[in-house]
Amino acid sequence: MAMHRPSAGGELNMLQELVDQINRTARKATEGMHTALPGRIEKFDPGTGLATVKPVAKFKKPNGETMDFPVVSGVPVVFPQSANVAIAWPIKEGDGCLLVFAESALDYWMYGKETDTALKFDLSNAIAIPGISPKGRDAMQTACAEDAAVVKAGSTVLKVRADGVFITGNLTVSGGIVNLN
């Protein structure tokens, strides 16, 4: 009995069909998965460190229509910090942030409690990283032009460069200034 062997073109077609099916399966499996989205702060409670955030994006419904993502509440806002040092700034309504969606529920991290939820990369597992903006800011321009770290609050500007620290605005010192030389 003779074996029929597909032609080279037939093998390529079968391979392409397999690749297409794998792509469709992967797309379907990740449709409800969230990784990161830009967001806008709606409310922030500095006492709890939690915010209500509106994702600034649209999602596509199965019928092809798009709609806004829902507002997410109880979102922890993270700032650079360690046990002894923190950098923080005021968070106001309308400020931009990056919403990152954790791989698992945040309950254990936030409250020390296990959870029975199996939601992965869900909107309810959001963490907000403040400070993103769709536009450049003059502090960014100054930092790049002067090769400096720049902190700007209103008209007061602090610049740290290789040749020194420069302050434009009023300086109030509470405590002493120590000369280490």
Side-chain angles (χ1 to χ4, degrees):
M1 176 180 226
M3 299 272 300
H4 175 67
R5 185 178 163 108
S7 67
E11 285 178 3
L12 286 176
N13 286 340
M14 287 181 0
L15 182 59
Q16 185 60 48
E17 287 177 26
L18 176 63
V19 168
D20 291 345
Q21 183 59 46
I22 290 170
N23 285 335
R24 284 191 298 275
T25 302
R27 243 182 270 113
K28 185 165 178 62
T30 60
E31 280 177 356
M33 182 186 296
H34 306 289
T35 54
L37 290 169
R40 184 177 54 250
I41 302 290
E42 302 245 317
K43 288 191 276 187
F44 177 63
D45 179 351
T48 63
L50 300 177
T52 300
V53 181
K54 173 77 174 128
V56 183
K58 302 269 189 186
F59 72 89
K60 193 176 281 196
K61 298 186 327 187
N63 68 2
E65 291 179 35
T66 60
M67 64 184 287
D68 292 337
F69 277 91
V71 171
V72 184
S73 60
V75 178
V77 176
V78 297
F79 289 97
Q81 59 185 311
S82 67
N84 298 321
V85 177
I87 299 172
W89 53 89
I91 300 294
K92 304 291 185 189
E93 181 180 334
D95 283 352
C97 66
L98 178 64
L99 286 171
V100 179
F101 304 100
E103 180 178 331
S104 62
L106 300 175
D107 297 348
Y108 188 74
W109 173 67
M110 291 177 67
Y111 310 112
K113 297 178 183 176
E114 292 286 340
T115 183
D116 61 354
T117 182
L119 300 174
K120 290 181 160 286
F121 303 104
D122 189 74
L123 294 178
S124 64
N125 299 325
I127 298 170
I129 302 171
I132 69 166
S133 172
K135 303 175 190 134
R137 300 281 192 246
D138 59 347
M140 293 176 195
Q141 294 170 350
T142 302
C144 290
E146 298 185 28
D147 200 20
V150 176
V151 176
K152 183 173 190 245
S155 61
T156 300
V157 179
L158 168 73
K159 294 186 270 186
V160 179
R161 300 188 320 216
D163 61 340
V165 177
F166 303 87
I167 299 172
T168 304
N170 296 326
L171 172 65
T172 303
V173 176
S174 176
I177 297 176
V178 179
N179 184 346
L180 298 176
N181 290 333

